[in-house]
Amino acid sequence: MGQANGRKSIFITGAASGMGLETARLFAGKGWFVGGYDVNEAGLKALESEIGAENCIVSRLDVTDKKAFDATVADFGKATGGKMDILFNNAGIGAGGLFEQMAFEDNLRVVQVNFIGVLNGIHAALPLLKATENALCFTTSSSSATYGMPGIAVYSATKHAVKGLTEALSIEFRLIGVRAADVLPGLIDTPILPEGAAANAPKEGMFRAIPPVEVAKVVWEAYGSDKLHWYVPPELVELDKAAGNTPELVREQLASTGPIAALIKVKEENKKA
């Protein structure tokens, strides 16, 4: 297990692949001490080998297990002198399908990982964040937090919750000298996507496929900024504005495009028959 030895430190969940992995690589390359956590132990070992055991501490972590999260943060603190410059609550899972057709247990698992896991992380890490000047509590939300997305309704709801939590804590945490912000990624080419989704994505526009390193760059930039919401790509802010200003229009647009629209059309035609 490495030691920070005075270096700035970042604690990353979901660090074995995708956005978490790219963030670990970027920060390690800039001289930071990295805590990498995931349920994918093979991926963590590969990360440790890549950036050097002296530059990190890695271990398995199920973010839904509060006791395990508390113990993991305590171990991280032992390696950093009780400091944590950035908490990057990034771990998340996806489950798609129509709500009425999905197993309820699958929806609960999405809630447990994507929202309860975030609550666990913030609560566990808060003492270290409070003890660190200019600390940042940073969380992965989603473009689906701009408007509730059909086909991923519960996933979208968890990301709305993350966004709202971040907004509230960005004010509350001023009392303790900690900043809070989030990133709202669009279509990021990571293992969470269904097979072929990135390849079939538009080549241009806000829902083009984005490499995960672009999110890592945003985490780095956020540390030196007081900005609240980070959109990847930046054009997604327009969707957020539209959702707030004209939610009914966005609803009709979503209902008239994509696979859900096809299902609605079939249902309407069956009614006429």
Side-chain angles (χ1 to χ4, degrees), residues 97-98 100-101 151 255 257-270:
L98 298 179
E100 67 166 338
Q101 297 176 358
T257 60
I260 301 298
L263 293 174
I264 293 173
K265 183 178 180 180
V266 169
K267 185 173 183 178
E268 290 177 346
E269 289 176 347
N270 288 339

Side-chain angles (χ1 to χ4, degrees), residues 11-24 35-40 43-44 47 59-63 69 88-93 113 140 190-191:
F11 185 111
I12 307 170
T13 63
S17 64
M19 298 181 296
L21 175 59
E22 292 297 341
T23 301
Y37 307 95
D38 207 300
V39 292
N40 178 357
L44 291 177
L47 170 62
S59 69
R60 186 185 188 280
L61 173 63
D62 178 350
V63 297
F69 219 136
F88 185 24
N89 262 319
N90 170 67
I93 61 172
V113 174
T140 297
T190 69

Side-chain angles (χ1 to χ4, degrees), residues 2-85:
Q3 296 289 317
N5 295 323
R7 289 177 285 178
K8 290 186 181 297
S9 62
I10 181 171
F11 185 111
I12 307 170
T13 63
S17 64
M19 298 181 296
L21 175 59
E22 292 297 341
T23 301
R25 287 169 170 165
L26 187 150
F27 276 78
K30 292 183 179 292
W32 282 47
F33 183 76
V34 174
Y37 307 95
D38 207 300
V39 292
N40 178 357
E41 295 181 74
L44 291 177
K45 286 295 183 183
L47 170 62
E48 181 183 49
S49 177
E50 179 181 343
I51 67 177
E54 70 279 8
N55 298 315
C56 65
I57 173 175
V58 301
S59 69
R60 186 185 188 280
L61 173 63
D62 178 350
V63 297
T64 69
D65 186 337
K66 182 58 164 62
K67 289 184 178 179
F69 219 136
D70 290 343
T72 300
V73 167
D75 287 342
F76 180 84
K78 292 175 184 177
T80 63
K83 305 287 186 181
M84 184 187 292
D85 293 277

